[in-house]
Amino acid sequence: EAGVTQSPTHLIKTRGQQATLRCSPISGHTSVYWYQQALGLGLQFLLWYDEGEERNRGNFPPRFSGRQFPNYSSELNVNALELEDSALYLCASSSGQAGNSPLHFGNGTRLTVT
Amino acid sequence: SQQGEEDPQALSIQEGENATMNCSYKTSINNLQWYRQNSGRGLVHLILIRSNEREKHSGRLRVTLDTSKKSSSLLITASRAADTASYFCATGNTGFQKLVFGTGTRLLVSP
């Protein structure tokens, strides 16, 4: 069984640009979660998608957005990049609701904003 | 804001020793989970303990949960160098809408 895959592995952007990160969940998982892990910090919840709909959102500005496609893969878009957006962005999928089922994580996209 | 806080922030031990990490949280939970993260990579789920459970084992891992104290502990017995990683606790809120992670404990196991 293939795990959660994320692309690209690394992404370098300049301030003000837009970044698009992609995630493919484990086959059969309908829920996708996005987390931000800044250097030295824990994981901050960004977004939860399930069955194509945004179900919950963390405390991030609207320039962080995303979507989930009919095949349950997901995109995270970050507009008007700022230096503090530099972080490891982790995608996870689950067969059930978070907190009731384990999350399966990809290896992340390392976003560097210069 | 973070729900869970791990203690200690960093732990350094020798191979063969036991490692104990603690997690405290603030609100009612239905489940608590522990994850491991090797440097710069994704998290790997270790164990899930439900609020009506007090202890759970998986191989060399032992997790306890005390809901009255809002705390959990992860014990790794007979540690190995390969156990070197960061360990995070995560709590599911009553709405099951997201998993909230703590800031983690960095474990270093020296050969």
Side-chain angles (χ1 to χ4, degrees):
Chain A
E1 175 185 81
V4 176
T5 57
Q6 291 187 244
S7 63
T9 305
H10 294 85
L11 189 57
I12 300 175
K13 294 285 187 178
T14 57
R15 194 169 55 181
Q17 286 187 318
Q18 178 196 37
T20 298
L21 289 64
R22 297 179 176 84
C23 172
S24 292
I26 290 173
S27 177
H29 288 187
T30 62
S31 281
V32 170
Y33 303 83
W34 288 95
Y35 284 85
Q36 181 196 65
Q37 186 179 30
L39 190 62
L41 299 179
L43 279 73
Q44 302 287 337
F45 171 73
L46 265 167
L47 290 159
W48 170 32
Y49 291 96
D50 183 60
E51 297 286 357
E53 300 286 333
E54 182 181 302
R55 302 295 184 182
N56 198 9
R57 181 182 183 87
N59 188 26
F60 281 85
R63 57 190 186 83
F64 286 84
S65 65
R67 54 180 173 168
Q68 186 178 34
F69 299 98
N71 66 354
Y72 303 115
S73 66
S74 176
E75 263 183 13
L76 174 68
N77 294 294
V78 188
N79 294 320
L81 285 165
E82 300 179 1
L83 296 178
E84 52 265 36
D85 296 333
S86 294
L88 181 66
Y89 289 84
L90 292 164
C91 171
S93 72
S94 173
S95 60
Q97 289 182 321
N100 208 26
S101 304
L103 292 183
H104 301 264
F105 282 86
N107 283 327
T109 293
R110 173 76 62 186
L111 174 63
T112 302
V113 183
T114 61
Chain B
S1 62
Q2 296 296 132
Q3 161 76 308
E5 292 193 8
E6 285 89 341
D7 170 59
Q9 289 187 330
L11 180 61
S12 184
I13 59 175
Q14 300 289 317
E15 263 190 332
E17 295 180 337
N18 296 340
T20 299
M21 288 158 268
N22 302 296
C23 170
S24 60
Y25 57 92
K26 298 175 183 175
T27 63
S28 296
I29 62 169
N30 289 81
N31 303 277
L32 187 143
Q33 302 179 32
W34 285 91
Y35 289 80
R36 183 186 75 230
Q37 182 181 35
N38 290 88
S39 180
R41 298 179 68 81
L43 280 72
V44 175
H45 179 261
L46 295 175
I47 199 163
L48 181 154
I49 186 166
R50 303 194 185 279
S51 59
N52 61 352
E53 297 176 307
R54 292 296 167 256
E55 188 170 311
K56 204 162 184 179
H57 297 254
S58 177
R60 294 184 296 113
L61 305 180
R62 171 178 168 253
V63 168
T64 61
L65 178 64
D66 187 334
T67 53
S68 66
K69 295 181 179 178
K70 292 185 169 56
S71 67
S72 174
S73 68
L74 170 66
L75 168 67
I76 303 175
T77 59
S79 61
R80 306 166 182 167
D83 294 328
T84 293
S86 291
Y87 292 82
F88 294 86
C89 68
T91 53
N93 66 5
T94 54
F96 295 110
Q97 292 188 345
K98 61 182 178 181
L99 207 56
V100 181
F101 286 81
T103 51
T105 292
R106 294 188 311 279
L107 173 66
L108 173 63
V109 182
S110 300

